[in-house]
Amino acid sequence: VYSPDFKAELLTALREEMAGIFKTQLETALTNNLIQIKLELHGVKTELSASITAIRSEVDALKVTVAEMDGPLSSCTDDVVSLKSDLDRLSAQVLVLDRKCEDLESRSRRNNIRIIGLPEERGPVSADTISTLLKDAFGLEKEPVVDRVHRSLQAKPKPGQRPRPIIARLHYYSDCADILRRARAQQRVKVGDSTVSIFPDFTPQTAKARAAFNDVRRQLRDVPDIRFGLLHPARLRITRGGVTREFTSPVEATAFMKTL
């Protein structure tokens, strides 16, 4: 039979021994783990050092490349500025030349008239036939002098299709202006069994610009107490209540129409 003091001493000794064993095992485990962690950190550090070295090398190479490109790029920028200046100057010159060409072409057509609606079945047109046609259609005292005549450069239409317009050049501008004035007054001219219309021979650019006002002119016909007309090359003049305004853009004319 063991005494209570002996049991107490035995328990104390067991506790101390077990605590020593746990402490030794824990220290061993922690030591092994710390060694492994140190090894892994060393490996990461080595990789990072290698990566940083490579990045620094690439950055240095980029710095050298940028330094080498700085001069050429500056020169290219100067060239672009110079070329833009030349482009603006040449564009302005082209615009001036385009307007001059348009004006010259318009002036070359001043003596031309365009006859719409004369059937193809009447046969080939000539200066003499058109001169006689104009004299009879407008009751002129004498036949106007016609230099040359031709139909527009299009494929010959099939039967039943609209005939090609006829372009006739009159020798004298006074005859051309007189015929156009009479044509505006009659609007539709009777030629035999046919009805034709006669207009100035505008350039394609001018004709397109004038055609842009067609909708506005159609609306103006329904407005009372208003006078309007299309001036050369493409300016719409509107007069109402003694006030006259001119428009070079259909958009502006349409906006003005809304105020009427």
Side-chain angles (χ1 to χ4, degrees), residues 102 202-214 217 230-231 233-236 247-250:
E102 178 69 17
F202 295 118
T203 65
Q205 183 175 338
T206 300
K208 182 179 179 180
R210 294 172 71 91
F213 288 98
N214 287 345
R217 294 167 64 191
L230 202 55
L231 307 180
R235 292 178 294 128
L236 181 63
F247 303 93
T248 58
S249 167

PDB file of all heavy atoms in Angstrom, residues 102 202-214 217 230-231 233-236 247-250:
ATOM      1  N   GLU A 102     -14.720  75.002-112.523  1.00  0.00           N
ATOM      2  CA  GLU A 102     -16.184  75.011-112.560  1.00  0.00           C
ATOM      3  C   GLU A 102     -16.702  76.275-113.225  1.00  0.00           C
ATOM      4  O   GLU A 102     -17.632  76.236-114.048  1.00  0.00           O
ATOM      5  CB  GLU A 102     -16.730  74.887-111.138  1.00  0.00           C
ATOM      6  CG  GLU A 102     -18.247  74.938-111.029  1.00  0.00           C
ATOM      7  CD  GLU A 102     -18.929  73.724-111.622  1.00  0.00           C
ATOM      8  OE1 GLU A 102     -18.253  72.704-111.827  1.00  0.00           O
ATOM      9  OE2 GLU A 102     -20.146  73.815-111.890  1.00  0.00           O
ATOM     10  N   PHE A 202     -26.483  73.408-117.606  1.00  0.00           N
ATOM     11  CA  PHE A 202     -25.616  73.594-116.439  1.00  0.00           C
ATOM     12  C   PHE A 202     -24.592  72.464-116.354  1.00  0.00           C
ATOM     13  O   PHE A 202     -24.785  71.369-116.884  1.00  0.00           O
ATOM     14  CB  PHE A 202     -26.442  73.621-115.154  1.00  0.00           C
ATOM     15  CG  PHE A 202     -27.378  74.797-115.060  1.00  0.00           C
ATOM     16  CD1 PHE A 202     -28.747  74.606-114.993  1.00  0.00           C
ATOM     17  CD2 PHE A 202     -26.880  76.095-115.036  1.00  0.00           C
ATOM     18  CE1 PHE A 202     -29.604  75.685-114.907  1.00  0.00           C
ATOM     19  CE2 PHE A 202     -27.740  77.182-114.943  1.00  0.00           C
ATOM     20  CZ  PHE A 202     -29.102  76.977-114.882  1.00  0.00           C
ATOM     21  N   THR A 203     -23.506  72.725-115.615  1.00  0.00           N
ATOM     22  CA  THR A 203     -22.534  71.685-115.312  1.00  0.00           C
ATOM     23  C   THR A 203     -23.162  70.702-114.322  1.00  0.00           C
ATOM     24  O   THR A 203     -24.119  71.046-113.608  1.00  0.00           O
ATOM     25  CB  THR A 203     -21.258  72.283-114.700  1.00  0.00           C
ATOM     26  OG1 THR A 203     -21.594  72.872-113.424  1.00  0.00           O
ATOM     27  CG2 THR A 203     -20.656  73.348-115.591  1.00  0.00           C
ATOM     28  N   PRO A 204     -22.665  69.477-114.259  1.00  0.00           N
ATOM     29  CA  PRO A 204     -23.238  68.499-113.302  1.00  0.00           C
ATOM     30  C   PRO A 204     -23.229  69.014-111.861  1.00  0.00           C
ATOM     31  O   PRO A 204     -24.193  68.798-111.126  1.00  0.00           O
ATOM     32  CB  PRO A 204     -22.330  67.277-113.468  1.00  0.00           C
ATOM     33  CG  PRO A 204     -21.801  67.380-114.863  1.00  0.00           C
ATOM     34  CD  PRO A 204     -21.631  68.855-115.119  1.00  0.00           C
ATOM     35  N   GLN A 205     -22.154  69.702-111.451  1.00  0.00           N
ATOM     36  CA  GLN A 205     -22.083  70.197-110.079  1.00  0.00           C
ATOM     37  C   GLN A 205     -23.142  71.264-109.830  1.00  0.00           C
ATOM     38  O   GLN A 205     -23.823  71.257-108.795  1.00  0.00           O
ATOM     39  CB  GLN A 205     -20.685  70.762-109.811  1.00  0.00           C
ATOM     40  CG  GLN A 205     -20.487  71.243-108.376  1.00  0.00           C
ATOM     41  CD  GLN A 205     -19.052  71.675-108.114  1.00  0.00           C
ATOM     42  OE1 GLN A 205     -18.127  71.263-108.810  1.00  0.00           O
ATOM     43  NE2 GLN A 205     -18.856  72.512-107.118  1.00  0.00           N
ATOM     44  N   THR A 206     -23.300  72.174-110.794  1.00  0.00           N
ATOM     45  CA  THR A 206     -24.307  73.225-110.645  1.00  0.00           C
ATOM     46  C   THR A 206     -25.714  72.645-110.684  1.00  0.00           C
ATOM     47  O   THR A 206     -26.592  73.038-109.901  1.00  0.00           O
ATOM     48  CB  THR A 206     -24.135  74.277-111.748  1.00  0.00           C
ATOM     49  OG1 THR A 206     -22.835  74.858-111.654  1.00  0.00           O
ATOM     50  CG2 THR A 206     -25.178  75.372-111.623  1.00  0.00           C
ATOM     51  N   ALA A 207     -25.940  71.701-111.594  1.00  0.00           N
ATOM     52  CA  ALA A 207     -27.266  71.083-111.697  1.00  0.00           C
ATOM     53  C   ALA A 207     -27.638  70.367-110.401  1.00  0.00           C
ATOM     54  O   ALA A 207     -28.790  70.445-109.941  1.00  0.00           O
ATOM     55  CB  ALA A 207     -27.286  70.106-112.870  1.00  0.00           C
ATOM     56  N   LYS A 208     -26.677  69.693-109.786  1.00  0.00           N
ATOM     57  CA  LYS A 208     -26.939  69.000-108.521  1.00  0.00           C
ATOM     58  C   LYS A 208     -27.254  69.991-107.411  1.00  0.00           C
ATOM     59  O   LYS A 208     -28.170  69.768-106.607  1.00  0.00           O
ATOM     60  CB  LYS A 208     -25.727  68.148-108.156  1.00  0.00           C
ATOM     61  CG  LYS A 208     -25.913  67.344-106.892  1.00  0.00           C
ATOM     62  CD  LYS A 208     -24.681  66.485-106.596  1.00  0.00           C
ATOM     63  CE  LYS A 208     -24.861  65.686-105.319  1.00  0.00           C
ATOM     64  NZ  LYS A 208     -23.653  64.855-105.026  1.00  0.00           N
ATOM     65  N   ALA A 209     -26.505  71.107-107.370  1.00  0.00           N
ATOM     66  CA  ALA A 209     -26.742  72.108-106.332  1.00  0.00           C
ATOM     67  C   ALA A 209     -28.105  72.762-106.498  1.00  0.00           C
ATOM     68  O   ALA A 209     -28.801  73.043-105.510  1.00  0.00           O
ATOM     69  CB  ALA A 209     -25.631  73.163-106.371  1.00  0.00           C
ATOM     70  N   ARG A 210     -28.520  73.011-107.726  1.00  0.00           N
ATOM     71  CA  ARG A 210     -29.833  73.620-107.967  1.00  0.00           C
ATOM     72  C   ARG A 210     -30.965  72.636-107.668  1.00  0.00           C
ATOM     73  O   ARG A 210     -32.016  73.027-107.146  1.00  0.00           O
ATOM     74  CB  ARG A 210     -29.912  74.112-109.415  1.00  0.00           C
ATOM     75  CG  ARG A 210     -28.964  75.251-109.730  1.00  0.00           C
ATOM     76  CD  ARG A 210     -28.955  75.566-111.226  1.00  0.00           C
ATOM     77  NE  ARG A 210     -30.179  76.199-111.649  1.00  0.00           N
ATOM     78  CZ  ARG A 210     -30.400  77.512-111.679  1.00  0.00           C
ATOM     79  NH1 ARG A 210     -29.444  78.332-111.278  1.00  0.00           N
ATOM     80  NH2 ARG A 210     -31.540  78.012-112.102  1.00  0.00           N
ATOM     81  N   ALA A 211     -30.737  71.363-107.989  1.00  0.00           N
ATOM     82  CA  ALA A 211     -31.774  70.360-107.740  1.00  0.00           C
ATOM     83  C   ALA A 211     -32.035  70.180-106.251  1.00  0.00           C
ATOM     84  O   ALA A 211     -33.119  69.753-105.849  1.00  0.00           O
ATOM     85  CB  ALA A 211     -31.372  69.029-108.371  1.00  0.00           C
ATOM     86  N   ALA A 212     -31.062  70.523-105.412  1.00  0.00           N
ATOM     87  CA  ALA A 212     -31.240  70.381-103.970  1.00  0.00           C
ATOM     88  C   ALA A 212     -32.340  71.302-103.437  1.00  0.00           C
ATOM     89  O   ALA A 212     -32.874  71.077-102.343  1.00  0.00           O
ATOM     90  CB  ALA A 212     -29.925  70.667-103.250  1.00  0.00           C
ATOM     91  N   PHE A 213     -32.683  72.364-104.191  1.00  0.00           N
ATOM     92  CA  PHE A 213     -33.724  73.309-103.760  1.00  0.00           C
ATOM     93  C   PHE A 213     -35.116  72.920-104.267  1.00  0.00           C
ATOM     94  O   PHE A 213     -36.071  73.669-104.033  1.00  0.00           O
ATOM     95  CB  PHE A 213     -33.398  74.720-104.268  1.00  0.00           C
ATOM     96  CG  PHE A 213     -32.245  75.379-103.553  1.00  0.00           C
ATOM     97  CD1 PHE A 213     -30.985  75.363-104.103  1.00  0.00           C
ATOM     98  CD2 PHE A 213     -32.439  76.009-102.334  1.00  0.00           C
ATOM     99  CE1 PHE A 213     -29.923  75.975-103.469  1.00  0.00           C
ATOM    100  CE2 PHE A 213     -31.385  76.623-101.682  1.00  0.00           C
ATOM    101  CZ  PHE A 213     -30.117  76.601-102.244  1.00  0.00           C
ATOM    102  N   ASN A 214     -35.242  71.792-104.955  1.00  0.00           N
ATOM    103  CA  ASN A 214     -36.533  71.446-105.566  1.00  0.00           C
ATOM    104  C   ASN A 214     -37.649  71.327-104.536  1.00  0.00           C
ATOM    105  O   ASN A 214     -38.766  71.832-104.742  1.00  0.00           O
ATOM    106  CB  ASN A 214     -36.408  70.139-106.354  1.00  0.00           C
ATOM    107  CG  ASN A 214     -35.639  70.324-107.651  1.00  0.00           C
ATOM    108  OD1 ASN A 214     -35.440  71.454-108.104  1.00  0.00           O
ATOM    109  ND2 ASN A 214     -35.201  69.231-108.251  1.00  0.00           N
ATOM    110  N   ARG A 217     -38.665  74.801-103.274  1.00  0.00           N
ATOM    111  CA  ARG A 217     -39.410  75.555-104.302  1.00  0.00           C
ATOM    112  C   ARG A 217     -40.828  75.014-104.439  1.00  0.00           C
ATOM    113  O   ARG A 217     -41.784  75.782-104.639  1.00  0.00           O
ATOM    114  CB  ARG A 217     -38.667  75.470-105.624  1.00  0.00           C
ATOM    115  CG  ARG A 217     -37.322  76.183-105.608  1.00  0.00           C
ATOM    116  CD  ARG A 217     -36.484  75.818-106.807  1.00  0.00           C
ATOM    117  NE  ARG A 217     -37.095  76.257-108.041  1.00  0.00           N
ATOM    118  CZ  ARG A 217     -36.667  75.882-109.252  1.00  0.00           C
ATOM    119  NH1 ARG A 217     -35.654  75.021-109.358  1.00  0.00           N
ATOM    120  NH2 ARG A 217     -37.246  76.336-110.329  1.00  0.00           N
ATOM    121  N   LEU A 230     -34.513  81.088-108.559  1.00  0.00           N
ATOM    122  CA  LEU A 230     -33.221  80.436-108.386  1.00  0.00           C
ATOM    123  C   LEU A 230     -32.192  81.163-109.243  1.00  0.00           C
ATOM    124  O   LEU A 230     -32.298  81.206-110.470  1.00  0.00           O
ATOM    125  CB  LEU A 230     -33.315  78.966-108.788  1.00  0.00           C
ATOM    126  CG  LEU A 230     -32.276  78.004-108.222  1.00  0.00           C
ATOM    127  CD1 LEU A 230     -32.246  78.076-106.698  1.00  0.00           C
ATOM    128  CD2 LEU A 230     -32.561  76.580-108.669  1.00  0.00           C
ATOM    129  N   LEU A 231     -31.216  81.756-108.578  1.00  0.00           N
ATOM    130  CA  LEU A 231     -30.186  82.519-109.261  1.00  0.00           C
ATOM    131  C   LEU A 231     -28.962  81.647-109.525  1.00  0.00           C
ATOM    132  O   LEU A 231     -28.761  80.623-108.891  1.00  0.00           O
ATOM    133  CB  LEU A 231     -29.784  83.732-108.415  1.00  0.00           C
ATOM    134  CG  LEU A 231     -30.934  84.644-107.948  1.00  0.00           C
ATOM    135  CD1 LEU A 231     -30.378  85.789-107.126  1.00  0.00           C
ATOM    136  CD2 LEU A 231     -31.727  85.178-109.129  1.00  0.00           C
ATOM    137  N   PRO A 233     -25.081  80.569-109.386  1.00  0.00           N
ATOM    138  CA  PRO A 233     -25.236  79.186-109.851  1.00  0.00           C
ATOM    139  C   PRO A 233     -26.296  78.398-109.090  1.00  0.00           C
ATOM    140  O   PRO A 233     -27.000  77.595-109.679  1.00  0.00           O
ATOM    141  CB  PRO A 233     -23.846  78.603-109.635  1.00  0.00           C
ATOM    142  CG  PRO A 233     -23.316  79.356-108.456  1.00  0.00           C
ATOM    143  CD  PRO A 233     -23.856  80.756-108.582  1.00  0.00           C
ATOM    144  N   ALA A 234     -26.416  78.629-107.781  1.00  0.00           N
ATOM    145  CA  ALA A 234     -27.416  77.903-106.989  1.00  0.00           C
ATOM    146  C   ALA A 234     -27.742  78.723-105.747  1.00  0.00           C
ATOM    147  O   ALA A 234     -27.331  78.393-104.634  1.00  0.00           O
ATOM    148  CB  ALA A 234     -26.922  76.512-106.622  1.00  0.00           C
ATOM    149  N   ARG A 235     -28.476  79.819-105.957  1.00  0.00           N
ATOM    150  CA  ARG A 235     -28.882  80.687-104.845  1.00  0.00           C
ATOM    151  C   ARG A 235     -30.387  80.906-104.948  1.00  0.00           C
ATOM    152  O   ARG A 235     -30.891  81.316-105.990  1.00  0.00           O
ATOM    153  CB  ARG A 235     -28.149  82.024-104.901  1.00  0.00           C
ATOM    154  CG  ARG A 235     -26.661  81.933-104.632  1.00  0.00           C
ATOM    155  CD  ARG A 235     -25.983  83.291-104.757  1.00  0.00           C
ATOM    156  NE  ARG A 235     -26.017  83.788-106.115  1.00  0.00           N
ATOM    157  CZ  ARG A 235     -26.458  84.986-106.463  1.00  0.00           C
ATOM    158  NH1 ARG A 235     -26.964  85.796-105.532  1.00  0.00           N
ATOM    159  NH2 ARG A 235     -26.433  85.371-107.719  1.00  0.00           N
ATOM    160  N   LEU A 236     -31.080  80.619-103.868  1.00  0.00           N
ATOM    161  CA  LEU A 236     -32.527  80.789-103.840  1.00  0.00           C
ATOM    162  C   LEU A 236     -32.857  82.155-103.248  1.00  0.00           C
ATOM    163  O   LEU A 236     -32.486  82.450-102.109  1.00  0.00           O
ATOM    164  CB  LEU A 236     -33.180  79.683-103.004  1.00  0.00           C
ATOM    165  CG  LEU A 236     -34.709  79.733-102.907  1.00  0.00           C
ATOM    166  CD1 LEU A 236     -35.342  79.546-104.277  1.00  0.00           C
ATOM    167  CD2 LEU A 236     -35.230  78.687-101.928  1.00  0.00           C
ATOM    168  N   PHE A 247     -30.474  82.392-100.135  1.00  0.00           N
ATOM    169  CA  PHE A 247     -29.991  81.207 -99.431  1.00  0.00           C
ATOM    170  C   PHE A 247     -29.128  80.379-100.383  1.00  0.00           C
ATOM    171  O   PHE A 247     -29.489  80.173-101.546  1.00  0.00           O
ATOM    172  CB  PHE A 247     -31.157  80.351 -98.934  1.00  0.00           C
ATOM    173  CG  PHE A 247     -32.113  81.094 -98.038  1.00  0.00           C
ATOM    174  CD1 PHE A 247     -33.239  81.707 -98.565  1.00  0.00           C
ATOM    175  CD2 PHE A 247     -31.880  81.175 -96.676  1.00  0.00           C
ATOM    176  CE1 PHE A 247     -34.116  82.400 -97.749  1.00  0.00           C
ATOM    177  CE2 PHE A 247     -32.764  81.860 -95.847  1.00  0.00           C
ATOM    178  CZ  PHE A 247     -33.873  82.480 -96.387  1.00  0.00           C
ATOM    179  N   THR A 248     -27.999  79.927 -99.879  1.00  0.00           N
ATOM    180  CA  THR A 248     -27.115  79.054-100.659  1.00  0.00           C
ATOM    181  C   THR A 248     -27.210  77.611-100.197  1.00  0.00           C
ATOM    182  O   THR A 248     -26.597  76.738-100.804  1.00  0.00           O
ATOM    183  CB  THR A 248     -25.651  79.524-100.537  1.00  0.00           C
ATOM    184  OG1 THR A 248     -25.272  79.533 -99.146  1.00  0.00           O
ATOM    185  CG2 THR A 248     -25.491  80.922-101.110  1.00  0.00           C
ATOM    186  N   SER A 249     -27.983  77.366 -99.148  1.00  0.00           N
ATOM    187  CA  SER A 249     -28.130  76.013 -98.609  1.00  0.00           C
ATOM    188  C   SER A 249     -29.608  75.667 -98.477  1.00  0.00           C
ATOM    189  O   SER A 249     -30.388  76.467 -97.946  1.00  0.00           O
ATOM    190  CB  SER A 249     -27.440  75.904 -97.242  1.00  0.00           C
ATOM    191  OG  SER A 249     -27.816  74.711 -96.590  1.00  0.00           O
ATOM    192  N   PRO A 250     -30.026  74.495 -98.944  1.00  0.00           N
ATOM    193  CA  PRO A 250     -31.423  74.080 -98.768  1.00  0.00           C
ATOM    194  C   PRO A 250     -31.823  73.980 -97.308  1.00  0.00           C
ATOM    195  O   PRO A 250     -32.987  74.200 -96.962  1.00  0.00           O
ATOM    196  CB  PRO A 250     -31.478  72.707 -99.459  1.00  0.00           C
ATOM    197  CG  PRO A 250     -30.298  72.667-100.366  1.00  0.00           C
ATOM    198  CD  PRO A 250     -29.249  73.503 -99.712  1.00  0.00           C
TER     199      PRO A 250
END
